[in-house]
């Protein structure tokens, strides 16, 4: 069982990753921390609280508010999600957010559970960078840090060079990659190849007719409509994929060690993630600093997620 914190810019697929954390038998979700990203910050906090409520876990997992802007750059919203909760009104969640800052909460919890607490970071890495600024020994105290971000030397979803999470706060991403965390990365490249669900697959979820399947379908629809407007057939699930792989590692078919660096200087390639697999690097002789997931059991991921949506709510 994994003790974990999920750091999230909660909208749509972030909520589905939270469902994995809240409902999967191998996940022991200790906290949710909110970072500036996908949609309006206050809305993201609300979306996380709604998700906890819909999962039947109200009052059991604290939500901490973190960075409301990237480290040095203006906030940039994602265009794929509407308000991140399907553009409908859900019942008012009963839980309220905590008062201490997310970065302080991460440091405090890491010190209380040395080596025994993992982080799943599925938004820009601003909160993790702030926590690192508070405690430079944080990488030694955290077990594993799983990140959804970047592209595998491939085409991005914000610009041709960059994926959203790394594009929004490249300084935070580079700071986190440079400081010795035990990092595993799920990329946008892998998401497009293996976590894009077709209309038939989404229809099968709708037909489950469980409360969670309804919640999923409503939140997912704006993403599917956006994707189809930009030529991606179906809805994409980068964050829930990363969450699921953390607790179902048998779904990982292939991974590789890489040197990952994030571009912070260029306007043209801002947020580009160089993921270097070479054993011998003549110019940049730095050590490998991440495991990148190369291939997964795509049908297995979908099937496990459907099982989760079929599970009863307490
Ligand atoms: Ca996210």
């Amino acid at each position: 069982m994994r003790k974990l914190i999920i750091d999230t810019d909660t909208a749509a697929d972030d909520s589905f990753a939270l469902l994995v954390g809240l409902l999967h038998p191998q996940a022991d979700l200790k906290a949710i921390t909110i970072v500036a990203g996908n949609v309006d910050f206050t809305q993201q906090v609300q979306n996380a609280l709604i998700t906890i409520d819909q999962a039947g876990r109200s009052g059991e997992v604290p939500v901490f508010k973190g960075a409301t802007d990237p480290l040095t750059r203006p906030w940039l919203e994602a265009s794929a999600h509407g308000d991140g909760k399907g553009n409908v009104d859900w019942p008012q969640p009963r839980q309220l957010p905590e008062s201490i800052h997310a970065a302080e909460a991460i440091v405090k919890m890491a010190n209380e559970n040395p080596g025994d607490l993992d982080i799943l970071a599925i938004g820009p890495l601003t909160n993790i960078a702030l926590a690192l600024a508070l405690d430079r020994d944080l990488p030694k105290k955290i077990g594993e840090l799983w990140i959804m971000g970047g592209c595998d030397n491939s085409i991005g979803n914000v610009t041709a060079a960059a994926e959203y999470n790394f594009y929004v706060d490249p300084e935070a991403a580079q700071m986190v990659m440079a400081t010795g965390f035990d990092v595993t990365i799920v990329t946008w490249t892998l998401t497009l190849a293996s976590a894009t669900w077709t209309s038939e697959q989404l229809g099968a979820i709708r037909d489950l007719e469980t409360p969670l399947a309804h919640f999923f379908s409503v939140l997912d629809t704006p993403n599917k409509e956006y994707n189809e407007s930009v030529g991606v057939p179906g809805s994409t699930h980068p964050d829930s994929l990363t969450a699921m792989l953390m607790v179902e590692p048998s779904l990982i078919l292939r991974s590789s060690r890489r040197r990952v660096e994030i571009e912070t200087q260029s306007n043209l390639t801002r947020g580009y993630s160089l993921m270097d697999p070479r054993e011998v690097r003549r110019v940049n002789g730095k050590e490998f600093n991440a495991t990148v997931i190369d291939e997964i059991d795509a049908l297995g991921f979908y099937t496990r997620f459907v099982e989760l949506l079929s599970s009863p709510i307490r």
Side-chain angles (χ1 to χ4, degrees):
M1 194 138 165
R2 274 189 191 269
K3 267 189 211 172
L4 76 156
I5 296 174
I6 300 184
D7 186 69
T8 159
D9 52 339
T10 315
D13 195 49
D14 288 81
S15 285
F16 310 149
L18 292 182
L19 290 181
V20 176
L22 289 161
L23 298 172
H24 194 284
Q26 290 305 315
D28 181 9
L29 183 59
K30 294 297 185 191
I32 296 167
T33 53
I34 310 292
V35 65
N38 282 321
V39 299
D40 169 77
F41 188 84
T42 308
Q43 184 68 61
Q44 294 181 151
V45 176
Q46 190 71 2
N47 292 350
L49 295 169
I50 288 170
T51 306
I52 293 171
D53 204 42
Q54 291 291 317
R57 303 278 320 264
S58 195
E60 295 177 33
V61 179
V63 173
F64 297 92
K65 296 184 284 183
T68 55
D69 290 285
L71 289 182
T72 66
R73 301 177 189 251
W75 169 62
L76 177 87
E77 72 178 318
S79 40
H81 304 297
D83 67 2
K85 59 177 179 58
N87 305 317
V88 303
D89 290 329
W90 297 94
Q92 181 67 22
R94 287 159 283 176
Q95 188 178 327
L96 295 173
E98 307 300 311
S99 54
I100 78 164
H101 193 281
E104 288 179 69
I106 290 169
V107 168
K108 182 168 180 288
M109 293 177 68
N111 279 294
E112 287 167 356
N113 303 271
D116 192 31
L117 182 70
D118 299 328
I119 297 178
L120 169 61
I122 52 176
L125 289 167
T126 321
N127 282 346
I128 312 301
L130 289 176
L132 193 56
L134 290 174
D135 184 349
R136 283 285 170 172
D137 289 330
L138 189 65
K140 290 189 217 125
K141 296 171 182 172
I142 291 294
E144 296 175 15
L145 171 60
W146 284 60
I147 294 171
M148 190 283 130
C151 299
D152 189 355
N153 306 314
S154 180
I155 304 292
N157 57 4
V158 178
T159 69
E163 173 279 335
Y164 177 81
N165 289 342
F166 288 180
Y167 181 84
V168 166
D169 199 342
E171 285 77 17
Q174 177 58 11
M175 184 175 167
V176 168
M177 288 313 304
T179 34
F181 283 104
D182 180 356
V183 172
T184 300
I185 297 179
V186 169
T187 63
W188 179 247
T189 314
L190 180 70
T191 302
L192 280 180
S194 302
T196 304
W197 295 344
T198 64
S199 291
E200 288 86 49
Q201 287 176 306
L202 300 172
I205 290 176
R206 207 170 296 115
D207 291 345
L208 293 173
E209 294 185 344
T210 65
L212 286 175
H214 173 70
F215 180 66
F216 171 90
S217 296
V218 172
L219 267 65
D220 192 55
T221 297
N223 178 248
K224 178 170 180 285
E225 289 171 353
Y226 173 81
N227 280 350
E228 286 171 350
S229 77
V230 295
V232 176
S235 68
T236 37
H237 298 282
D239 298 344
S240 49
L241 171 63
T242 315
M244 190 66 86
L245 295 180
M246 268 188 104
V247 291
E248 297 265 1
S250 64
L251 294 172
I252 301 168
L253 301 182
R254 190 165 51 85
S255 63
S256 54
R257 293 292 293 162
R258 310 286 188 98
R259 180 73 202 184
V260 177
E261 306 269 352
I262 314 304
E263 175 59 50
T264 60
Q265 302 295 315
S266 162
N267 284 328
L268 185 65
T269 58
R270 165 182 167 178
Y272 174 74
S273 49
L274 183 73
M275 298 193 169
D276 190 345
R278 297 172 302 159
E279 291 284 349
V280 178
R281 294 182 294 282
R282 281 191 304 138
V283 176
N284 173 356
K286 294 176 184 170
E287 300 288 314
F288 290 136
N289 60 353
T291 297
V292 175
I293 308 292
D294 296 315
E295 189 183 350
I296 62 143
D297 173 358
L299 185 59
F301 166 49
Y302 170 78
T303 305
R304 298 297 295 136
F305 196 81
V306 168
E307 285 172 14
L308 201 74
L309 295 178
S310 310
S311 60
I313 302 170
R314 284 186 282 160

